Amino acid sequence: MKNLPKPSLIEERNFPFETSISYGVEEGFHELHWHNEIEICYIKHGTGNYLINGIDYSFTEGDIFVINNDDIHLCYNDKELIMQVTMFDPFFIGSGSANPFDVEYLQMFINNSYGLLKKIEHKFEKSEIFSDILMEIETEYNKMQKGYEMMIKSLLLKFFVLLVRYSPDDSYPQKSISRIAADKIRHILQFIDNNYHEQINLNLLEQNFGMSRAYLSSSFKSLTGISPMDYIIQKRISEAKLKLIKTHKSILAISEECGFNSLSNFNRLFKKFAGYTPSRYRKYNLK
């Protein structure tokens, strides 16, 4: 199986770095996803949850999250959320290093998606050190004074070295599936996202991806927090929500386009996952 190409969220490749303030979660990022960049999220205000590689973390003001470039994640249940989002190509902090030791040391940041502490809690005694670095990075990026690129790179290196230094050895969530299985799960996620409107079941996934149903189901839930069939339903519901708001198609037509085998089944599952019937959801969300 070929390596799955990761979406890139940074267009400028000469300086593959950006930091910005996000108010709430942009449309499309409430769903499970992954991308090419390492992401650092500093919660400046509000509350919510991050689901990262199947582990659910609640957050509040002052918390910091480090999301590596192959972590499957989503932010949800956010309320009054304001956060600083810093993103960069993982090789940005490793490029230009001539010392073999430096390159080898940096691999823990570039290649090890499970070797980083995911959450730095605001009540952690060293958390202010990390937030100060992120604020300094933000200032450098906004002012763009001479040499700001190198300054940002050095600050990121400081951030990650201190992350390793101040993290207890038993603080990292343990990965329960192999890298090969994790890569297959990413392929399965992409397959579902592209084919959610078709009839997909565990037998089809088992045949297409060479995993037993039991191992596929356990690996999928370990990495995403939900079962494959629940993910399929949630993907269909998510697409149905968009169609209910953005089109004038009938509810029956939308249910068929989103892969539901009957209108009654669509109504039942939509209410279960969305909290409303499709008709009430459309009524309350049309502007």
Side-chain angles (χ1 to χ4, degrees), residues 26 47 51 67 93 108 142 170 178 199 232 234 240 249:
E26 294 182 15
T47 60
L51 181 66
I67 302 170
I93 59 174
M108 72 173 67
N142 290 333
D170 60 353
S178 69
Q199 294 304 309
I232 293 169
Q234 290 185 18
K249 294 179 179 179

Side-chain angles (χ1 to χ4, degrees), residues 227-245:
S227 70
M229 297 313 297
D230 277 349
Y231 180 78
I232 293 169
I233 294 170
Q234 290 185 18
K235 177 64 181 178
R236 289 171 174 168
I237 296 296
S238 178
E239 295 297 325
K241 286 179 178 179
L242 294 176
K243 292 177 183 291
L244 285 167
I245 296 173

Side-chain angles (χ1 to χ4, degrees), residues 132-149:
D132 285 347
I133 293 173
L134 294 176
M135 294 305 294
E136 191 173 353
I137 286 174
E138 184 179 46
T139 299
E140 287 288 338
Y141 186 74
N142 290 333
K143 290 187 174 181
M144 293 189 175
Q145 299 180 94
K146 184 183 294 185
Y148 78 97
E149 300 99 331

Side-chain angles (χ1 to χ4, degrees), residues 124-240:
F124 175 50
E125 60 177 346
K126 304 292 186 180
S127 66
E128 190 174 347
I129 297 175
F130 295 100
S131 59
D132 285 347
I133 293 173
L134 294 176
M135 294 305 294
E136 191 173 353
I137 286 174
E138 184 179 46
T139 299
E140 287 288 338
Y141 186 74
N142 290 333
K143 290 187 174 181
M144 293 189 175
Q145 299 180 94
K146 184 183 294 185
Y148 78 97
E149 300 99 331
M150 186 61 70
M151 182 64 77
I152 288 174
K153 182 175 180 177
S154 67
L155 287 167
L156 285 173
L157 287 170
K158 180 179 180 180
F159 182 97
F160 284 108
V161 170
L162 291 178
L163 185 63
V164 172
R165 179 176 295 176
Y166 294 135
S167 298
D169 293 337
D170 60 353
S171 64
Y172 304 128
Q174 296 299 307
K175 185 182 179 185
S176 58
I177 63 175
S178 69
R179 285 190 174 277
I180 294 175
D183 192 52
K184 284 188 176 183
I185 297 304
R186 294 185 189 94
H187 279 84
I188 291 171
L189 284 168
Q190 190 173 67
F191 176 82
I192 293 171
D193 288 348
N194 293 336
N195 299 279
Y196 67 90
H197 52 284
E198 303 290 345
Q199 294 304 309
I200 305 173
N201 54 42
L202 287 176
N203 285 335
L204 178 65
L205 296 178
E206 179 183 23
Q207 293 170 8
N208 284 3
F209 295 96
M211 301 175 74
S212 70
R213 292 181 60 172
Y215 188 51
L216 189 156
S217 296
S218 63
S219 298
F220 193 100
K221 189 166 186 177
S222 177
L223 202 56
T224 68
I226 59 176
S227 70
M229 297 313 297
D230 277 349
Y231 180 78
I232 293 169
I233 294 170
Q234 290 185 18
K235 177 64 181 178
R236 289 171 174 168
I237 296 296
S238 178
E239 295 297 325

